[in-house]
Amino acid sequence: MRYFALLRIFMANSIQLEMEYRANLLIDFVSSLLGFASGLVVIYAMFNHATAIGGWSLPEAIALFGVFMIFEAFIEVFLYPNLGKLPDYVRTGNMDFMLLKPLRRSN
């Protein structure tokens, strides 16, 4: 449970940081929405000319696109920000500090 509390704190901090720059948050939201909509338009355009593509029906293709979007969002939220900082952490020695530092006991 302690790790979930720590994850909640990190997520709250991340949301606060995103809310500082509201115009950037709005632009990111609109960009994501346009990317999702354009993906759906491409899927509908392809299935306008065929009932199945590679054995996939329209509902299956939309479900696959949804799963892809979920995985892409997970990678963007959890992996990209941290992977970009990894070389700096290794170079400065902070990686060792972060790996060896114990969690503070809240009990």
Side-chain angles (χ1 to χ4, degrees), residues 8-105:
R8 185 182 57 79
I9 291 170
F10 285 149
M11 288 180 73
N13 186 32
S14 177
I15 290 170
Q16 286 176 346
L17 289 173
E18 285 295 325
M19 292 299 289
E20 280 184 30
Y21 304 102
R22 293 188 179 163
N24 187 35
L25 182 66
L26 180 65
I27 290 169
D28 283 346
F29 177 74
V30 170
S31 173
S32 296
L33 195 60
L34 286 174
F36 179 73
S38 65
L40 285 179
V41 166
V42 168
I43 290 173
Y44 279 116
M46 288 189 309
F47 278 96
N48 243 356
H49 302 287
T51 57
I53 297 175
W56 293 79
S57 66
L58 176 63
E60 292 170 338
I62 291 174
L64 180 66
F65 180 65
V67 169
F68 166 75
M69 294 298 287
I70 290 170
F71 278 117
E72 186 179 41
F74 178 80
I75 289 170
E76 278 189 31
V77 169
F78 291 107
L79 295 181
Y80 282 160
N82 298 322
L83 285 178
K85 297 176 186 175
L86 188 63
D88 288 333
Y89 289 154
V90 171
R91 183 178 49 78
T92 60
N94 287 337
M95 183 74 166
D96 295 334
F97 175 73
M98 289 180 2
L99 290 175
L100 298 174
K101 181 181 174 185
L103 289 174
R104 187 185 73 206
R105 293 190 83 98

